[in-house]
Amino acid sequence: MKTIDELCVNTIRMLAVDMVQEANSGHPGMPMGAAPMAHVLWTRFLKHHPQNPLWPDRDRFVLSAGHGSALLYSLLHLTGYDLPLEEIKRFRQWGSKTPGHPEHNETPGVESTTGPLGQGFPNGVGMAIAERHLAARFNRPGFEIVDHYTYGIVSDGDLMEGVASEAASLAGHLNLGKLIYLYDNNQITLAGEARLTFTEEVLKRFEAYGWHVQSIQDGNDMDAISKAIAAAQKETAQPSLISVRTHIGYGSPQKQDTFEVHGAPLGPEEVAATKKNLGWPVEPKFYIPDEAFRQFRKALDQGAKVEKEWQSKRESYGKAYPELLKEWDRLMSSKPPGGWDKGIPIFSPDPKGVATRSAGGQVMNAIGPRLSCLIGGSADLNPSTNTALKGLGNFQPPQSGGQEVQGAVPGPWGYGGANIAFGVREHAMGSILNGVALHGGLIPYGSTFLVFSDYMRPAIRLASLMKLHVIYVFTHDSIALGEDGPTHQPIEHLSSLRAIPGLTVIRPADANETTEAWKVAVEHQRGPVALIMTRQVVPVIDRSKYSPASGVCKGAYILADSGETKPEIILIATGSEVHPALEAYEKARAEGIKARVVNMASWELFEQQPENYRSEVLPPQNRKRISIEAGSTHGWHKYIGLDGDAIGIDHFGASAPGKVLLEKFGFTSENILNRIKALLVRK
Ligand SMILES: Cc1ncc(C[n+]2csc(CCOP(=O)(O)OP(=O)(O)O)c2C)c(N)n1
């Protein structure tokens, strides 16, 4: 005689099996093994309301092992999210709400896009950070309007990935006690037994990170799982990892505990054998017993109840703290407050100039307090990237240290702090930023040297895919960083970031353009923005002589133009190379050459402009064009065409002072002028 819980667990299992079989594609093994822990978590602990998946104080659930999507879709359908059985039957099909891996924005209730192993883990860390930060700022005694857990299911593969280790180390340091992960310890991966590759003591490793760890030997023992989650909740100072020994493909007579069941349908015969083995009717497919359905759907009433309780708490909070509630609502609406950019710095023309990284630091510090939703930091590079928000405090566990710690940012110490010290963990930083953005209420930013954006690329890609409002500040943006040499000098990075769909890359030329770029970054809500900053000083352009910096918001604009007649040559430059381009333009003009300088700070923003604007800036008939950018020329032919010339650097840099390198590699007005002349005489 099966208990109702066992019936529910088998319902999840068999739905997943049928989904994968129907699609003839997918991963049945993980859902079959992990169904009991998922069932316990979702029906006994998870605070959620299927009819209102975005309710702000819901618990967050991340399926880090995203290949087990059939598990998540089964749970979403069964508990009453807007995911009808039709969608379950259309698993992995064109236009369905049940894509191969869970996709945020596509399926109600999917908190994060997962599938690249390891990423969901730090996403949850980001969510837990956001929760603690908002709780510290908004909760008041008796009014805990921010008070939820972040749960996840992680797999062997997740825990093998380095990004999870980085994030686990930081989560332990930060004492994120409301983060609880269940480890689907089935000891099988895609290509074989974990024994081939993964024999370390995982729990000891997590213990060393400062996690609270527990182990359950029988993955079908739901009481043990329940007790462990309850114990994890009680442990408030440490994040929790609960290892649950499961069996991949549980119930399949031929395939349980084999790697074949990880990522391939069982096949009709084995589906039938598995169903018989678990006491399940072979037909109909997608069978959901009424009793199990009713049990799962209790989530609707329970969800409505907890949300209602929260809503009334919110109302009385609003009576006691009307200003705070207004601020909370504003944050959750993801809109910057009116006049948020008041007091944003305007820089006077200055031929000596200022590095855009330090202009950026000044801008951030001017807007941070008024915005009050900016939170982030650097991967141990604050003194170089200039991204500390002074006075806004350190996001640190309250009891852990204090202002005497070197490198601490002036301001309070505790979860209310807006400065997150990520340590030397670029990859986790990127994925944690995604988690903070997914949580809602905050605009996360992260900074490092442009060359190290490679270390966080998987996270940037996912931020773009999810259209998250994340801001990256990448400094030391070219060979001009100098003596650190080619290991630190970005070459292909601008081009490779531009290749990520949905990422907006902006490379301002001077301090005032940095201000404009930040304005775009704050207001841009359709995906991440990468701000690319110089290490070296660059002149502050005299805008009485040249066009205003506000042109940056259009991506490209005519900065200088020699007269009414059409130019003979167009120089297209970005960032620090706008300055030698301007110098070359002046020299060319003095020699009677009609030139135009187009400052193309952002390809992506330019592409969004109407056709007539784009052809005004770059008239199609004008084929003599030169791009100037201290990076790979890859991609520039899109704008300079077959008849153009690209001044760039298609090899690694060298260790020498920045000025010398710029000279040696041709980023001087003299060289640009020579190239102008050469292009003009070219047939
Ligand atoms: C970053 C990344 N590398 C490789 C893969 C391909 N892949 C999908 S699942 C998997 C391993 C599966 O092992 P585990 O995480 O233990 O899941 P289980 O076999 O238990 O379902 C691999 C290598 C991936 N999804 N992401």
Side-chain angles (χ1 to χ4, degrees):
M1 188 49 198
K2 295 249 182 278
T3 66
I4 180 69
D5 283 324
E6 284 164 341
L7 192 73
C8 288
V9 166
N10 282 340
T11 304
I12 298 171
R13 283 184 174 131
M14 293 306 117
L15 269 186
V17 163
D18 282 341
M19 284 168 81
V20 174
Q21 192 58 46
E22 184 79 2
N24 201 21
S25 156
H27 303 77
M30 184 272 181
M32 293 166 80
M37 66 172 101
H39 170 66
V40 169
L41 178 63
W42 274 61
T43 56
R44 299 187 198 173
F45 293 93
L46 195 71
K47 184 176 74 169
H48 66 134
H49 185 196
Q51 300 281 288
N52 187 7
L54 297 178
W55 160 48
D57 201 43
R58 67 192 182 278
D59 287 338
R60 304 308 197 262
F61 172 78
V62 179
L63 181 67
S64 191
H67 58 275
S69 58
L71 173 73
L72 181 53
Y73 298 146
S74 301
L75 290 163
L76 291 171
H77 168 69
L78 290 167
T79 55
Y81 284 78
D82 181 17
L83 193 66
L85 195 60
E86 278 319 300
E87 295 294 337
I88 297 291
K89 292 179 180 170
R90 294 194 329 115
F91 181 47
R92 293 182 159 236
Q93 303 308 306
W94 173 259
S96 80
K97 281 187 184 176
T98 47
H101 292 83
E103 291 180 33
H104 181 65
N105 297 329
E106 292 297 324
T107 315
V110 170
E111 299 279 6
S112 176
T113 297
T114 54
L117 287 166
Q119 292 293 328
F121 190 114
N123 290 166
V125 174
M127 291 171 185
I129 286 175
E131 193 269 350
R132 282 297 78 197
H133 179 72
L134 292 168
R137 284 178 50 191
F138 288 97
N139 287 354
R140 292 294 178 272
F143 297 101
E144 308 214 308
I145 64 157
V146 188
D147 183 18
H148 69 79
Y149 288 97
T150 301
Y151 297 104
I153 294 184
V154 303
S155 65
D156 294 307
D158 281 309
L159 298 187
M160 280 191 229
E161 289 288 355
V163 67
S165 305
E166 292 178 19
S169 162
L170 187 60
H173 164 78
L174 291 173
N175 295 358
L176 298 176
K178 296 176 82 176
L179 180 66
I180 300 175
Y181 283 164
L182 294 158
Y183 165 27
D184 177 33
N185 179 3
N186 62 27
Q187 296 177 21
I188 294 284
T189 64
L190 184 149
E193 287 186 52
R195 276 194 300 170
L196 283 170
T197 53
F198 197 45
T199 47
E200 71 203 29
E201 298 268 9
V202 172
L203 291 187
K204 283 194 180 152
R205 172 158 66 93
F206 272 75
E207 214 169 8
Y209 288 144
W211 285 54
H212 174 251
V213 299
Q214 299 176 79
S215 178
I216 292 167
Q217 292 313 314
D218 175 3
N220 288 321
D221 185 343
M222 289 186 261
D223 284 340
I225 294 169
S226 212
K227 279 191 191 121
I229 297 175
Q233 288 185 332
K234 280 213 184 78
E235 173 50 63
T236 56
Q238 293 182 306
S240 277
L241 185 70
I242 304 168
S243 168
V244 187
R245 176 66 171 105
T246 56
H247 295 273
I248 196 166
Y250 180 84
S252 159
Q254 299 298 320
K255 298 197 169 171
Q256 177 180 318
D257 293 320
T258 69
F259 73 88
E260 288 89 348
V261 76
H262 156 84
L266 295 178
E269 282 172 22
E270 191 62 12
V271 168
T274 304
K275 287 184 177 175
K276 281 185 196 145
N277 188 32
L278 292 178
W280 206 254
V282 175
E283 293 289 340
K285 285 186 276 188
F286 301 102
Y287 170 60
I288 301 172
D290 288 344
E291 220 184 326
F293 190 74
R294 279 197 301 274
Q295 180 72 6
F296 281 116
R297 290 286 160 118
K298 286 182 181 166
L300 291 174
D301 282 347
Q302 283 162 3
K305 187 165 164 270
V306 279
E307 188 192 341
K308 207 167 146 213
E309 282 165 12
W310 181 82
Q311 292 291 2
S312 65
K313 200 186 322 184
R314 179 184 174 280
E315 264 167 43
S316 35
Y317 175 78
K319 284 188 190 125
Y321 304 100
E323 285 308 308
L324 273 179
L325 183 65
K326 232 163 86 190
E327 175 76 345
W328 158 266
D329 284 345
R330 208 264 302 157
L331 256 58
M332 295 314 286
S333 77
S334 314
K335 287 202 184 80
W340 67 269
D341 57 351
K342 238 171 75 192
I344 202 165
I346 298 169
F347 299 84
S348 307
D350 176 4
K352 234 174 70 229
V354 53
T356 53
R357 63 173 166 145
S358 46
Q362 291 178 51
V363 173
M364 288 177 69
N365 277 284
I367 64 177
R370 189 168 286 120
L371 272 178
S372 89
C373 56
L374 214 48
I375 181 169
S378 70
D380 196 39
L381 280 170
N382 266 7
S384 300
T385 58
N386 296 161
T387 42
L389 292 168
K390 297 180 188 105
L392 295 191
N394 301 273
F395 182 90
Q396 291 283 349
Q399 283 86 32
S400 63
Q403 290 296 303
E404 71 279 7
V405 178
Q406 284 185 44
V409 177
W413 186 274
Y415 289 136
N419 290 281
I420 304 173
F422 288 100
V424 194
R425 302 182 183 99
E426 294 83 1
H427 195 176
M429 174 172 75
S431 318
I432 287 170
L433 297 176
N434 291 353
V436 173
L438 284 164
H439 181 278
L442 300 166
I443 303 177
Y445 72 90
S447 74
T448 182
F449 293 164
L450 177 57
V451 78
F452 302 136
S453 62
D454 281 346
Y455 272 50
M456 46 195 292
R457 190 172 178 84
I460 300 174
R461 183 174 194 274
L462 283 168
S464 305
L465 180 56
M466 290 191 265
K467 301 187 171 62
L468 298 181
H469 193 188
V470 173
I471 300 174
Y472 310 108
V473 179
F474 294 135
T475 67
H476 297 57
D477 70 348
S478 77
I479 47 164
L481 67 84
E483 293 85 344
D484 273 340
T487 56
H488 283 50
Q489 293 163 357
I491 298 293
E492 73 282 20
H493 298 78
L494 285 167
S495 154
S496 83
L497 288 174
R498 288 177 185 136
I500 300 179
L503 172 66
T504 300
V505 181
I506 313 179
R507 188 170 186 239
D510 75 349
N512 286 312
E513 290 194 8
T514 303
T515 297
E516 295 299 323
W518 260 104
K519 282 193 201 164
V520 173
V522 168
E523 289 187 347
H524 187 90
Q525 296 196 348
R526 301 174 309 280
V529 177
L531 301 174
I532 312 294
M533 307 293 191
T534 65
R535 175 193 182 221
Q536 77 277 23
V537 294
V538 285
V540 181
I541 296 171
D542 182 352
R543 300 288 167 169
S544 64
K545 203 163 156 209
Y546 301 109
S547 308
S550 56
V552 164
C553 68
K554 292 192 166 154
Y557 68 102
I558 302 168
L559 180 62
D561 209 6
S562 57
E564 311 75 52
T565 52
K566 76 183 177 75
E568 295 167 87
I569 190 124
I570 301 179
L571 305 177
I572 313 172
T574 77
S576 47
E577 286 66 68
V578 166
H579 305 283
L582 267 183
E583 271 174 45
Y585 157 88
E586 294 293 356
K587 286 180 181 167
R589 223 167 88 130
E591 295 188 25
I593 300 170
K594 290 194 174 60
R596 167 180 290 186
V597 178
V598 169
N599 177 343
M600 194 179 258
S602 171
W603 291 19
E604 298 79 15
L605 294 176
F606 184 59
E607 291 301 329
Q608 287 159 23
Q609 303 311 311
E611 165 71 33
N612 60 352
Y613 177 77
R614 282 185 284 136
S615 51
E616 188 189 311
V617 175
L618 295 176
Q621 68 278 14
N622 197 313
R623 302 294 185 93
K624 304 265 182 197
R625 305 173 177 188
I626 303 178
S627 66
I628 307 135
E629 183 172 78
S632 163
T633 60
H634 183 91
W636 272 108
H637 284 271
K638 178 175 180 179
Y639 294 110
I640 61 172
L642 294 175
D643 301 330
D645 184 14
I647 301 179
I649 171 162
D650 290 313
H651 49 79
F652 295 115
S655 176
K659 265 198 180 131
V660 175
L661 293 174
L662 288 172
E663 235 175 79
K664 297 276 181 200
F665 293 131
F667 298 97
T668 59
S669 57
E670 294 77 24
N671 182 47
I672 299 171
L673 186 61
N674 288 339
R675 300 278 278 259
I676 291 173
K677 289 177 182 167
L679 190 60
L680 283 177
V681 297
R682 207 163 82 186
K683 288 269 160 29

mmCIF file of all heavy atoms in Angstrom, residues 235-251:
data_model
loop_
_atom_site.group_PDB
_atom_site.id
_atom_site.type_symbol
_atom_site.label_atom_id
_atom_site.label_comp_id
_atom_site.label_asym_id
_atom_site.label_seq_id
_atom_site.Cartn_x
_atom_site.Cartn_y
_atom_site.Cartn_z
ATOM 1 N N GLU A 235 19.453 26.341 11.350
ATOM 2 C CA GLU A 235 20.833 26.839 11.324
ATOM 3 C C GLU A 235 20.838 28.185 10.587
ATOM 4 O O GLU A 235 20.771 28.243 9.372
ATOM 5 C CB GLU A 235 21.720 25.821 10.595
ATOM 6 C CG GLU A 235 23.132 26.285 10.349
ATOM 7 C CD GLU A 235 23.795 26.843 11.595
ATOM 8 O OE1 GLU A 235 23.979 26.091 12.556
ATOM 9 O OE2 GLU A 235 24.121 28.061 11.600
ATOM 10 N N THR A 236 20.911 29.252 11.361
ATOM 11 C CA THR A 236 20.724 30.566 10.738
ATOM 12 C C THR A 236 22.040 31.238 10.353
ATOM 13 O O THR A 236 22.042 32.210 9.620
ATOM 14 C CB THR A 236 19.938 31.510 11.671
ATOM 15 O OG1 THR A 236 20.633 31.571 12.917
ATOM 16 C CG2 THR A 236 18.519 31.036 11.887
ATOM 17 N N ALA A 237 23.158 30.714 10.858
ATOM 18 C CA ALA A 237 24.421 31.415 10.594
ATOM 19 C C ALA A 237 25.208 30.816 9.434
ATOM 20 O O ALA A 237 26.192 31.389 8.993
ATOM 21 C CB ALA A 237 25.280 31.419 11.847
ATOM 22 N N GLN A 238 24.786 29.647 8.972
ATOM 23 C CA GLN A 238 25.554 29.009 7.903
ATOM 24 C C GLN A 238 24.619 28.551 6.787
ATOM 25 O O GLN A 238 23.523 28.052 7.063
ATOM 26 C CB GLN A 238 26.280 27.766 8.444
ATOM 27 C CG GLN A 238 27.378 28.063 9.438
ATOM 28 C CD GLN A 238 28.053 26.769 9.875
ATOM 29 O OE1 GLN A 238 27.394 25.843 10.333
ATOM 30 N NE2 GLN A 238 29.357 26.697 9.702
ATOM 31 N N PRO A 239 25.063 28.683 5.546
ATOM 32 C CA PRO A 239 24.279 28.074 4.471
ATOM 33 C C PRO A 239 24.312 26.559 4.628
ATOM 34 O O PRO A 239 25.219 26.024 5.260
ATOM 35 C CB PRO A 239 25.002 28.518 3.199
ATOM 36 C CG PRO A 239 26.341 29.009 3.609
ATOM 37 C CD PRO A 239 26.301 29.334 5.060
ATOM 38 N N SER A 240 23.333 25.891 4.049
ATOM 39 C CA SER A 240 23.222 24.442 4.264
ATOM 40 C C SER A 240 23.331 23.653 2.975
ATOM 41 O O SER A 240 22.756 24.034 1.958
ATOM 42 C CB SER A 240 21.857 24.110 4.879
ATOM 43 O OG SER A 240 21.902 24.309 6.262
ATOM 44 N N LEU A 241 24.047 22.556 3.080
ATOM 45 C CA LEU A 241 24.069 21.575 1.990
ATOM 46 C C LEU A 241 23.608 20.242 2.563
ATOM 47 O O LEU A 241 24.177 19.755 3.541
ATOM 48 C CB LEU A 241 25.482 21.430 1.399
ATOM 49 C CG LEU A 241 25.563 20.509 0.179
ATOM 50 C CD1 LEU A 241 24.878 21.137 -1.029
ATOM 51 C CD2 LEU A 241 27.015 20.174 -0.169
ATOM 52 N N ILE A 242 22.571 19.701 1.948
ATOM 53 C CA ILE A 242 22.073 18.401 2.394
ATOM 54 C C ILE A 242 22.342 17.403 1.273
ATOM 55 O O ILE A 242 21.755 17.490 0.194
ATOM 56 C CB ILE A 242 20.549 18.456 2.681
ATOM 57 C CG1 ILE A 242 20.240 19.563 3.698
ATOM 58 C CG2 ILE A 242 20.052 17.101 3.165
ATOM 59 C CD1 ILE A 242 18.755 19.898 3.823
ATOM 60 N N SER A 243 23.257 16.502 1.546
ATOM 61 C CA SER A 243 23.556 15.486 0.541
ATOM 62 C C SER A 243 22.521 14.369 0.654
ATOM 63 O O SER A 243 22.312 13.801 1.732
ATOM 64 C CB SER A 243 24.965 14.925 0.777
ATOM 65 O OG SER A 243 25.142 13.770 0.001
ATOM 66 N N VAL A 244 21.858 14.069 -0.441
ATOM 67 C CA VAL A 244 20.842 13.017 -0.429
ATOM 68 C C VAL A 244 21.280 11.937 -1.421
ATOM 69 O O VAL A 244 21.381 12.187 -2.621
ATOM 70 C CB VAL A 244 19.460 13.593 -0.844
ATOM 71 C CG1 VAL A 244 18.381 12.533 -0.665
ATOM 72 C CG2 VAL A 244 19.117 14.848 -0.037
ATOM 73 N N ARG A 245 21.567 10.762 -0.900
ATOM 74 C CA ARG A 245 22.018 9.677 -1.782
ATOM 75 C C ARG A 245 20.820 9.161 -2.568
ATOM 76 O O ARG A 245 19.879 8.587 -2.007
ATOM 77 C CB ARG A 245 22.647 8.553 -0.941
ATOM 78 C CG ARG A 245 23.062 7.332 -1.755
ATOM 79 C CD ARG A 245 24.206 7.664 -2.716
ATOM 80 N NE ARG A 245 24.756 6.464 -3.337
ATOM 81 C CZ ARG A 245 24.533 6.099 -4.613
ATOM 82 N NH1 ARG A 245 23.768 6.847 -5.399
ATOM 83 N NH2 ARG A 245 25.083 5.007 -5.097
ATOM 84 N N THR A 246 20.843 9.418 -3.857
ATOM 85 C CA THR A 246 19.718 9.024 -4.703
ATOM 86 C C THR A 246 20.199 8.027 -5.746
ATOM 87 O O THR A 246 21.402 7.750 -5.852
ATOM 88 C CB THR A 246 19.134 10.255 -5.422
ATOM 89 O OG1 THR A 246 20.196 10.881 -6.150
ATOM 90 C CG2 THR A 246 18.525 11.242 -4.445
ATOM 91 N N HIS A 247 19.250 7.561 -6.538
ATOM 92 C CA HIS A 247 19.577 6.623 -7.617
ATOM 93 C C HIS A 247 19.011 7.159 -8.910
ATOM 94 O O HIS A 247 17.788 7.290 -9.048
ATOM 95 C CB HIS A 247 19.031 5.225 -7.295
ATOM 96 C CG HIS A 247 19.717 4.651 -6.096
ATOM 97 N ND1 HIS A 247 20.901 3.948 -6.181
ATOM 98 C CD2 HIS A 247 19.424 4.748 -4.775
ATOM 99 C CE1 HIS A 247 21.301 3.613 -4.958
ATOM 100 N NE2 HIS A 247 20.426 4.086 -4.082
ATOM 101 N N ILE A 248 19.913 7.494 -9.814
ATOM 102 C CA ILE A 248 19.468 8.035 -11.095
ATOM 103 C C ILE A 248 18.600 6.983 -11.793
ATOM 104 O O ILE A 248 18.897 5.785 -11.737
ATOM 105 C CB ILE A 248 20.687 8.471 -11.948
ATOM 106 C CG1 ILE A 248 20.250 9.377 -13.097
ATOM 107 C CG2 ILE A 248 21.507 7.287 -12.442
ATOM 108 C CD1 ILE A 248 21.407 10.122 -13.765
ATOM 109 N N GLY A 249 17.501 7.448 -12.391
ATOM 110 C CA GLY A 249 16.605 6.514 -13.077
ATOM 111 C C GLY A 249 15.882 5.579 -12.130
ATOM 112 O O GLY A 249 15.524 4.457 -12.524
ATOM 113 N N TYR A 250 15.631 6.029 -10.909
ATOM 114 C CA TYR A 250 15.046 5.143 -9.895
ATOM 115 C C TYR A 250 13.784 4.450 -10.426
ATOM 116 O O TYR A 250 12.878 5.094 -10.952
ATOM 117 C CB TYR A 250 14.695 5.939 -8.625
ATOM 118 C CG TYR A 250 14.096 5.061 -7.553
ATOM 119 C CD1 TYR A 250 14.916 4.340 -6.692
ATOM 120 C CD2 TYR A 250 12.710 4.907 -7.457
ATOM 121 C CE1 TYR A 250 14.364 3.493 -5.738
ATOM 122 C CE2 TYR A 250 12.147 4.071 -6.509
ATOM 123 C CZ TYR A 250 12.989 3.363 -5.653
ATOM 124 O OH TYR A 250 12.451 2.520 -4.714
ATOM 125 N N GLY A 251 13.756 3.175 -10.263
ATOM 126 C CA GLY A 251 12.575 2.392 -10.640
ATOM 127 C C GLY A 251 12.696 1.706 -11.987
ATOM 128 O O GLY A 251 11.906 0.821 -12.305
#
